[in-house]
Amino acid sequence: MGLAGSGKSTQGQILAKFRGGVWLSAGQVLRDTPNEEIHEIQRRGELVDDSLTIPLMAEAIKGVMAEGKDIVLDGYPRTVLQAEWVRDHIADQIEAVVRIVVSKDELFRRLMARGRADDASREAIEERFRVVEQNIYTVCKTLTEKNVKILDVDGMGTVEEVAWRINDALAVAKEKWSVENNV
C-alpha cells in the first residue's frame, strides 16, 4: 500500500518473486481490462468505482488462490468497500499490509519520469493522492478489525534497500506474531 510512485509495483513484484507467489496489481488488472470507461477514469487520475473494481479483483484473487499460490496484492484495497471485501473474504490469510512511505516531492519526480498515461498531468497525480490519502486511514482501520498487521516501511533509497526493509519488517512482524501467539 502506498501512494502512486511509492514503489508498490516494483516492490510487490520483488516480494512475490522472492516468496514464490503471484504479484496481483489492481491497477494492472484494471489497465488490462478491455473497458474504455475504466481507462478514461484512470487517465483522469480518479479511482475506478468499486462496482467495477471489486468483482474484477475478486475474480483475479480467487483464480490465484485456486492455484494454491500466495498473492502479493498491489494497490488493493484502496477504498472502504474494497477493504470490507478483503476483511470479509481473505483477511485471515493476510500476513501483513506494507505501507511504503515516500515524500510527495519524490513521488511527483518519480511519476513524471515514468510517463504513464495516468501520470500525464500534475493535477491527475494530485487527485489520485487526495483520493488515496482520504481512504488509507479507514482502509487500515477496517483491516485491523481482523487483526491484519500494518507495517510502515521507508520507501526512499535504492530498490534493493527498500526490498530489504520490507523483507526485514515482515520477518520481524512474523516473529513477533509467533511469540505473541505461542506458535
Side-chain angles (χ1 to χ4, degrees):
M1 183 180 287
L3 294 176
S6 62
K8 293 183 308 293
S9 295
T10 299
Q11 294 302 329
Q13 291 173 48
I14 291 169
L15 186 62
K17 185 176 181 180
F18 179 73
R19 293 182 165 216
V22 174
W23 170 72
L24 191 56
S25 161
Q28 195 61 51
V29 167
L30 294 169
R31 282 189 290 277
D32 290 346
T33 299
N35 181 318
E36 190 52 40
E37 176 189 1
I38 289 174
H39 300 163
E40 180 55 35
I41 292 166
Q42 289 180 307
R43 280 191 286 275
R44 290 193 308 261
E46 299 170 6
L47 288 180
V48 176
D49 191 83
D50 289 328
S51 65
L52 299 169
T53 303
I54 293 171
L56 289 169
M57 286 303 293
E59 181 181 334
I61 290 167
K62 288 176 183 177
V64 174
M65 291 175 80
E67 296 173 12
K69 297 181 179 177
D70 288 336
I71 301 170
V72 175
L73 286 174
D74 170 356
Y76 191 84
R78 281 193 178 160
T79 69
V80 174
L81 287 176
Q82 293 171 14
E84 289 172 347
W85 185 91
V86 168
R87 179 196 63 204
D88 296 343
H89 293 89
I90 62 171
D92 60 335
Q93 298 172 54
I94 296 176
E95 184 176 339
V97 170
V98 175
R99 282 190 298 207
I100 302 174
V101 181
V102 178
S103 73
K104 283 191 182 171
D105 287 340
E106 175 63 12
L107 293 173
F108 279 116
R109 188 192 67 71
R110 291 178 184 183
L111 293 173
M112 297 309 280
R114 77 181 182 185
R116 222 171 56 195
D118 52 344
D119 301 327
S121 71
R122 188 171 181 96
E123 293 77 25
I125 293 168
E126 287 174 347
E127 176 63 13
R128 268 206 331 272
F129 286 174
R130 186 190 66 73
V131 171
V132 172
E133 286 178 322
Q134 200 172 43
N135 291 321
I136 281 178
Y137 173 79
T138 308
V139 165
C140 290
K141 184 175 184 285
T142 300
L143 295 176
T144 58
E145 289 172 1
K146 285 283 197 156
N147 298 317
V148 173
K149 294 179 270 322
I150 310 294
L151 309 173
D152 286 331
V153 175
D154 179 3
M156 297 295 290
T158 67
V159 169
E160 294 80 12
E161 289 169 339
V162 177
W164 280 112
R165 279 188 214 119
I166 290 170
N167 192 53
D168 289 349
L170 288 168
V172 167
K174 186 173 186 174
E175 183 178 314
K176 183 178 177 187
W177 181 86
S178 295
V179 169
E180 289 173 354
N181 293 290
N182 297 316
V183 176

